[in-house]
Amino acid sequence: MSVPVTARLDESVVEALDRAVDAGLAPTRGAVIARAVGDWLNLHGEEAIVESYRRRYVEPDATGNDLIADLALFSVAACLADTER
């Protein structure tokens, strides 16, 4: 079952909707809008957000940790060498 929703759209958006319907890309304005809202919800839904975080914050590899440790040791050695002068 669908629920009617009233929305105000810019005239240019409505004209674009009408062109899409006239071109046969969708049967009605509502079909275009429903598809766009569905696509937006898929991109911004809870599952999509969780998956985005999973891709963004993967486990770091050991090489990155080794590099940080090497840089830290170098920094400590440089500081000690500077204070020994």
Side-chain angles (χ1 to χ4, degrees):
M1 177 176 148
S2 64
V3 177
V5 176
T6 302
R8 294 195 178 275
L9 302 174
D10 188 72
E11 190 175 329
S12 63
V13 173
V14 176
E15 290 170 1
L17 289 171
D18 289 341
R19 286 192 304 275
V21 172
D22 291 344
L25 299 174
T28 64
R29 290 174 176 169
V32 176
I33 294 168
R35 176 64 187 263
V37 170
D39 290 347
W40 188 91
L41 289 172
N42 285 334
L43 288 173
H44 296 86
E46 189 67 28
E47 289 180 29
I49 292 169
V50 168
E51 185 56 34
S52 171
Y53 275 104
R54 283 190 187 124
R55 285 191 308 272
R56 176 79 169 116
Y57 299 106
V58 295
E59 288 293 321
D61 62 355
T63 339
N65 292 335
D66 291 344
L67 178 61
I68 292 170
D70 290 344
L71 288 172
L73 288 173
F74 174 78
S75 295
V76 170
C79 287
L80 290 174
D82 190 48
T83 58
E84 291 177 359
R85 286 192 227 183

